[in-house]
Amino acid sequence: MGGGSAVKQHERRFLQGEREDTGKKKECGEAYWSVKTFGEYEVRETKGGEYGLFKKGNLVGMFVKATVEEERILFPLSRGFMLEVSRRGVREITIPEKALLMGMVAADGSNRSRREPRRRGGYRTDYLTAFYSDDLELIRMFDESANRVYNLASHHYVRKRNGLITAAIYSKGIYYDLSDLNLKPGPYEFHAPREHLDDEGKRAFLKGFFSGDGNVSVSGGEITIRFYSRCREGLEELRQTLMDLGFHPRGIREDREPKGKSTYSFLIPRSEHIKFINEIGSYRPKHVRIFEEMKRRGEGREE
């Protein structure tokens, strides 16, 4: 097979793309050595150090880099994605920085487009991906993640009335990238894309979300760790994500607000507080201070 073959990501879906010539001279009879086999998929390495992904003996794509692990092989893609090949098949997963960013946007952000008429006729469409917080540490984490994943800096706007900071990115590409994952299907709604998260990605997504819409309260000496949201479906997906990681979150509770709207929440059991702090945690300084004190006192350890 030709050593210069590649697969172009067409609307981000890897295995739905079309083959594209990279411009390199094709080398017929390229020598390959098998690295790992996962069912109908096989990963082979060339003499030049590139990696070929084969499905049923047919070359799917060539990659310059690969991370070989015991149970899987990871190939870097664009926009913070990796192609994971394992015994379960092939799927696109996010790098932890992207999972963190998505968790933050899911909790306290937006990803939307707006179409408006032009004065001279026709229409223009604006695209916005944003995160909102009055905490500079969280704004910094969003900025760092956006720069790492998309190589873009956000614009900051401060609301004088209450000090709320908006970190905004105006990018059609980012809007569609997150829309493809159905991250923010509507106002006050979110989706946890578990199908694109490995365990590390799930922890990062949960940490991003909890930093924004998590609650750590102290009352009468008792500490409560709680997830909350107006989106019950999304909250249930967070519960399932925690269960994927071996947690046993409580059931979802509904709290009716004066204007008839509902807020939903669930608790982390006290016996799993330290496990939560060690594996998930938060970037919100107020949470971090309480967590450090809890660890010092050894609260929430399983007996």
Side-chain angles (χ1 to χ4, degrees), residues 119 156 175:
R119 290 184 179 180
H156 292 177
Y175 166 77

Side-chain angles (χ1 to χ4, degrees), residues 234-248:
L235 204 65
E236 182 57 50
E237 292 175 347
L238 292 182
R239 285 188 71 251
Q240 185 58 59
T241 304
L242 282 160
M243 289 188 281
D244 293 343
L245 298 172
F247 289 90
H248 302 83

Side-chain angles (χ1 to χ4, degrees), residues 210 215-219 222-226 267-268 273 294:
F210 190 82
N215 176 263
V216 184
S217 60
V218 182
S219 177
E222 290 292 325
I223 297 175
T224 301
I225 298 177
R226 183 195 315 269
L267 299 174
I268 301 297
H273 280 183
M294 291 173 65

Side-chain angles (χ1 to χ4, degrees), residues 160-201:
K160 293 182 180 180
R161 177 168 55 86
N162 57 9
L164 184 72
I165 304 171
T166 298
I169 301 175
Y170 304 98
S171 168
K172 179 179 179 180
I174 294 178
Y175 166 77
Y176 278 110
D177 183 52
L178 299 181
S179 292
D180 284 348
L181 297 171
N182 199 31
L183 183 67
K184 296 287 286 187
Y188 304 108
E189 297 180 359
F190 73 92
H191 166 62
R194 294 168 52 230
E195 64 275 17
H196 293 292
L197 301 172
D198 62 0
D199 284 354
E200 188 175 5

Side-chain angles (χ1 to χ4, degrees), residues 72-116:
R72 65 179 184 174
I73 296 181
L74 300 172
F75 299 102
L77 301 175
S78 64
R79 295 185 181 276
F81 279 97
M82 296 183 291
L83 186 70
E84 179 192 71
V85 183
S86 68
R87 299 188 189 283
R88 291 173 293 185
V90 174
R91 64 171 178 163
E92 288 180 5
I93 62 173
T94 68
I95 62 174
E97 291 86 351
K98 181 165 187 168
L100 172 65
L101 181 145
M102 292 193 303
M104 297 178 78
V105 172
D108 278 334
S110 61
N111 187 59
R112 64 176 186 264
S113 64
R114 183 173 59 186
R115 189 168 181 258
E116 295 183 337

Side-chain angles (χ1 to χ4, degrees), residues 84-154:
E84 179 192 71
V85 183
S86 68
R87 299 188 189 283
R88 291 173 293 185
V90 174
R91 64 171 178 163
E92 288 180 5
I93 62 173
T94 68
I95 62 174
E97 291 86 351
K98 181 165 187 168
L100 172 65
L101 181 145
M102 292 193 303
M104 297 178 78
V105 172
D108 278 334
S110 61
N111 187 59
R112 64 176 186 264
S113 64
R114 183 173 59 186
R115 189 168 181 258
E116 295 183 337
R118 297 180 183 271
R119 290 184 179 180
R120 298 181 180 179
Y123 293 86
R124 63 170 290 176
T125 304
D126 296 320
Y127 302 91
L128 171 68
T129 301
F131 176 71
Y132 312 97
S133 179
D134 58 3
D135 195 309
L136 287 173
E137 178 65 16
L138 297 187
I139 295 295
R140 183 181 69 81
M141 291 306 305
F142 176 82
D143 288 348
E144 290 182 358
S145 299
N147 183 262
R148 170 71 175 83
V149 176
Y150 298 112
N151 195 30
L152 287 175
S154 65

